[in-house]
Amino acid sequence: MDWQDLGTILSARPHGESSMIVELFTSAHGRHAGVVRGGASRKMAGILQPGNRVTATWRARLEDHLGSYMIEPLQSRAVILSDRQALAGLNAATALLRFTLPEREAHDALFLASEALFDAMADGGDWVPTYLRWELGLLEEMGYGLDLSRCAVTGSRDDLAYVSPRSGRAVSRQGAGEWAPRLLPLPLCLLGQGPASLGEIVQGLRLTGFFLGERMAPDLGDRPLPEARQRFVDLLGRNAR
């Protein structure tokens, strides 16, 4: 069994004395792991950094075996390591991909969105709104997408201010009525209304975090969300003050 694909390194951990088990998010094979022989060498250390884009050839005797990788560098995103906020965002995104994605199942749209996010992080600039949209896309890809198009109660597209924690649908101020305290705030940046402040983005991440942690995680075995995500949100919250 063998194939060749391109992808981004999600993690690399030691295996034996000189090898590494490397997990990739690949274009055609989804989240996929394999052993890199000699991966613990100094030469390979810079290549096997999470976030780097590589080409990989995977081989195994049987399809369900762990198999081995031959890794070739394609694009280094090592510049992310020197930016505290970008590194925290990268750690959050790679941890969420490892947490949510089933092994060896392609997710084309999410793969393209993830590549765009990692490129934006490496390029610098204002990539944090892209991260928020990426989390919305992750929820959509996994079957927990939010419907922010119109009010779930009145059908109106105007004055949307909340999200139902049960249905994930938007609710207007009028439609909320006395139920407003039980609903989740909907920041305007998720409706594409005006530039997003860092404070609004943090509010948006609290919203996506609710559905990641309270709706999706229990269906994946009731595991807590990766701590890397909360560290990223906490860092943004401090920077927003």
Side-chain angles (χ1 to χ4, degrees), residues 99 213 217 221-227:
F99 179 83
D222 203 20
R223 297 172 293 156
L225 288 182
E227 293 181 0

Side-chain angles (χ1 to χ4, degrees), residues 97-160:
L97 288 169
R98 296 178 64 206
F99 179 83
T100 58
L101 292 181
E103 288 188 276
R104 306 187 179 192
E105 181 179 291
H107 289 270
D108 294 341
L110 183 60
F111 174 79
L112 293 174
S114 299
E115 289 296 294
L117 173 63
F118 298 144
D119 283 342
M121 290 175 173
D123 292 342
D126 189 15
W127 56 266
V128 180
T130 303
Y131 179 92
L132 175 56
R133 291 192 295 271
W134 179 84
E135 281 204 355
L136 284 172
L138 177 63
L139 285 168
E140 181 75 29
E141 185 78 10
M142 300 305 296
Y144 300 86
L146 307 185
D147 182 358
L148 307 180
S149 61
R150 62 179 69 240
C151 175
V153 179
T154 67
S156 172
R157 298 178 183 272
D158 299 326
D159 201 23
L160 301 178

Side-chain angles (χ1 to χ4, degrees), residues 149-185:
S149 61
R150 62 179 69 240
C151 175
V153 179
T154 67
S156 172
R157 298 178 183 272
D158 299 326
D159 201 23
L160 301 178
Y162 306 99
V163 175
S164 166
R166 297 186 62 183
S167 69
R169 298 180 63 190
V171 181
S172 67
R173 295 185 195 279
Q174 179 183 357
E178 64 183 16
W179 292 92
R182 302 186 184 186
L183 303 177
L184 303 170

Side-chain angles (χ1 to χ4, degrees), residues 26-41:
T26 65
S27 174
H29 298 86
R31 181 172 68 89
H32 202 293
V35 176
V36 176
R37 310 294 179 190
S41 69

